[in-house]
């Protein structure tokens, strides 16, 4: 884990990339998510230091939320503030679901609020999203597997399944939303 | 699944982010809530006499409802975006309520002392807030659905804003069936009905607006 550039520097490198990603640039979007994953891992790792096994799960959950909620980012907001607000929300939600309050080692301190540090080491998630995918309704699962895991374009997936392109997109979005709900429900059950 | 694989999955053919998401979802509150509350008000209570439309009475109520609906919709949209400052939207909402309160107070003061209480209470002060709340429930359901699809990080506040928005839309429907004429009445009892809808939204928010 290294502490490098401050939040201002992160924002100045992230903002143009994020704008391109929001406009539909897939490469820029992938780069943004990778960059943010390393920051989130460090951010969440500091707050879950007594439960290191849960960090990667929460990183993935936050990335899924960022993706599903990317329509709520307003260009007038700083990207990092928006990301931190979502990560914080997911962390508080995680504590509530697991019946824990932020303890001595897990505090939502206001001082160290930014995505300052980078942690590139994926220690592996304990939950397997691929297994959860199998629980999704057929149409949603097929749309996600074809377009996301098999790497077909939306147009190719549409012609293969006979559904329209917009129907495929809707099924992918609904499936990912469902996946996020399943991830949240896991703790409760 | 490893995180880089998840990133690959999310980014692949992701397309552009949805545009004007909050505006699209929240406009459904007015598109559904307004006709539903109007039809319910006309069916359950009956329309005000046509000549009344030549007076300021229904227009004052509709203007108040519409102005508060706009301010509360803006507030709801701000509270549905993570990290978005909502100060200006709160001030706009408070300004609309304060402006109606000022008009109501002026009207109250201009009445002869013996007629003031009668003007304030009208004949339906008890039923008005309850009617506004009841007529706003369909809109409230749509508003909570709309906010649920966004990302409220303070669910009670977002629920309150959504409820206030739905309440203002419901009040517009009620205005077409309400024959009360005093601005003081509107400032007091319409506001109470809309705030009650907001309070219901605030109570439901933490349960309903999880994501």
């Amino acid at each position: 884990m290294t502490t490098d550039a401050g939040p201002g520097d992160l924002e100045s490198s992230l903002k143009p990339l994020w704008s391109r990603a929001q406009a539909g640039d897939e490469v820029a979007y992938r780069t943004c998510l990778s960059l943010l994953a390393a920051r989130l891992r460090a951010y969440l790792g500091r707050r879950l230091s007594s439960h290191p096994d849960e960090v990667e799960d929460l990183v993935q959950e936050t990335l899924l939320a960022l993706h599903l909620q990317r329509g709520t980012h307003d260009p007038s907001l700083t990207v990092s503030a928006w990301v931190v607000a979502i990560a914080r929300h997911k962390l508080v939600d995680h504590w509530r679901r697991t019946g824990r309050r932020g303890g001595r080692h897990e505090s939502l301190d206001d001082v160290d609020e930014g995505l300052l540090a980078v942690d590139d080491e994926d220690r592996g998630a304990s939950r397997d999203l691929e297994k959860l995918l199998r629980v999704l309704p057929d149409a949603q699962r097929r749309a996600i597997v074809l377009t996301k895991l098999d790497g077909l374009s939306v147009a190719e997936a549409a012609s293969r399944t006979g559904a329209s392109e917009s129907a495929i997109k809707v099924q992918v979005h609904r499936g990912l939303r469902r996946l996020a709900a399943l991830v949240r429900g896991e703790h409760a059950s | 699944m490893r995180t880089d694989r998840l990133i690959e999955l999310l980014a692949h053919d992701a397309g552009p982010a949805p545009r004007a998401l909050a505006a699209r979802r929240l406009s459904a509150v007015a598109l559904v809530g307004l006709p539903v509350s109007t039809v319910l008000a006309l069916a359950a209570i009956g329309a005000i006499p046509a000549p009344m439309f030549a007076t300021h009475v229904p227009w004052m109520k509709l203007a108040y409802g519409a102005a508060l609906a706009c301010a509360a919709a803006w507030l709801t949209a701000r509270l549905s975006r993570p990290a978005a400052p909502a100060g200006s939207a709160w001030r706009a909402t408070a300004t609309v309520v304060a402006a109606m309160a000022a008009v109501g107070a002026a009207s109250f003061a201009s009445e002869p002392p013996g007629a003031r209480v009668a003007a304030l209470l009208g004949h339906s002060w008890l039923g008005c807030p309850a009617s506004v709340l009841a007529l706003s429930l369909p809109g409230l359901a749509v508003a909570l659905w709309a906010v649920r699809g966004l990302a409220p990080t303070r669910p009670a506040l977002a629920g309150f804003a959504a409820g206030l928005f739905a309440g203002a839309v419901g009040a517009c429907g009620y205005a077409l069936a309400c024959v009360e004429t005093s601005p003081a009445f509107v400032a007091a009892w319409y506001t109470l009905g809309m705030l009650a809808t907001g309070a219901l939204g605030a109570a439901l928010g933490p349960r309903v607006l999880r994501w």
Side-chain angles (χ1 to χ4, degrees):
Chain A
M1 198 186 294
T2 54
T3 301
D4 60 2
D9 294 326
L10 169 67
E11 189 62 26
S12 57
S13 61
L14 194 57
K15 191 98 187 189
L17 211 55
W18 181 257
S19 306
R20 279 176 18 224
Q22 290 288 82
D25 181 336
E26 187 182 321
V27 177
Y29 190 39
R30 189 179 296 114
T31 312
C32 276
L33 290 179
S34 304
L35 212 121
L36 288 171
R39 303 283 179 154
L40 287 170
R41 194 171 290 125
Y43 176 88
L44 295 167
R46 284 197 301 280
R47 286 158 180 80
L48 285 169
S49 50
S50 49
H51 299 270
D53 52 314
E54 294 168 1
V55 173
E56 205 59 32
D57 285 346
L58 211 56
V59 169
Q60 295 191 357
E61 202 181 327
T62 307
L63 288 172
L64 194 54
L66 290 180
H67 176 72
L68 288 170
Q69 305 299 347
R70 68 191 190 123
T72 68
H73 178 261
D74 180 314
S76 68
L77 304 174
T78 59
V79 183
S80 43
W82 179 78
V83 171
V84 165
I86 291 178
R88 217 184 131 102
H89 178 78
K90 284 291 159 192
L91 183 64
V92 172
D93 189 54
H94 175 77
W95 281 338
R96 209 194 51 235
R97 278 180 283 142
T98 51
R100 262 185 267 139
R101 306 289 304 170
R104 191 158 51 88
H105 300 290
E106 304 178 335
S107 62
L108 275 176
D109 43 88
D110 292 320
V111 186
D112 181 17
E113 203 43 68
L115 299 169
L116 293 167
V118 176
D119 182 351
D120 281 320
E121 191 192 340
D122 180 351
R123 292 168 197 82
S126 61
R127 147 200 328 130
D128 191 349
L129 288 176
E130 246 155 338
K131 272 188 196 147
L132 280 179
L133 265 179
R134 288 182 211 138
V135 188
L136 296 182
D138 278 346
Q140 295 173 5
R141 194 192 59 242
R142 203 167 52 234
I144 291 176
V145 168
L146 285 177
T147 62
K148 298 293 196 175
L149 299 179
D150 295 351
L152 298 189
S153 69
V154 171
E156 287 164 339
S159 69
R160 182 168 312 181
T161 56
S164 70
E165 284 187 36
S166 60
I168 295 282
K169 283 185 198 161
V170 168
Q171 296 296 358
V172 168
H173 188 74
R174 285 203 185 138
L176 291 177
R177 280 193 78 102
R178 186 77 191 267
L179 196 62
L182 285 171
V183 165
R184 297 186 67 251
E186 238 185 346
H187 297 269
S189 58
Chain B
M1 189 183 290
R2 288 178 54 83
T3 299
D4 48 8
R5 182 147 162 79
L6 174 68
I7 290 171
E8 191 54 47
L9 183 154
L10 295 176
H12 179 74
D13 216 6
R19 281 169 193 277
L21 187 62
R24 277 191 286 127
R25 291 185 77 92
L26 289 174
S27 61
V29 179
L31 290 175
V32 174
L34 198 55
V36 171
S37 67
T38 302
V39 167
L40 287 178
L42 298 185
I45 308 167
I48 57 174
M52 218 175 204
F53 282 103
T55 70
H56 73 282
V57 171
W59 305 112
M60 158 188 72
K61 297 168 185 169
L62 288 172
Y64 180 39
L68 192 57
C70 291
W74 182 27
L75 180 63
T76 310
R78 297 308 286 174
L79 291 172
S80 302
R81 286 182 195 282
S88 308
W90 278 115
R91 279 190 290 280
T93 306
T95 302
V96 174
V97 175
M100 189 67 228
V103 173
S107 141
F108 185 79
S110 70
E111 297 278 350
R116 281 178 184 168
V117 173
L120 176 64
L121 299 183
H123 67 274
S124 62
W125 67 277
L126 211 55
C128 168
S131 298
V132 169
L133 174 61
L135 292 173
S136 302
L137 294 179
L140 179 61
V142 179
L144 291 174
W145 163 84
V147 174
R148 198 183 149 85
L150 301 168
T153 51
R154 284 166 294 180
L157 286 182
F160 173 76
L164 199 60
F165 179 24
V169 169
C172 288
Y174 183 62
L176 302 174
C178 163
V179 294
E180 298 287 352
T181 56
S182 166
F185 180 95
V186 177
W189 309 114
Y190 274 60
T191 306
L192 184 62
M194 296 187 281
L195 287 176
T197 317
L200 181 58
L204 292 173
R207 290 163 192 277
V208 177
L209 300 178
R210 290 188 179 174
W211 56 278

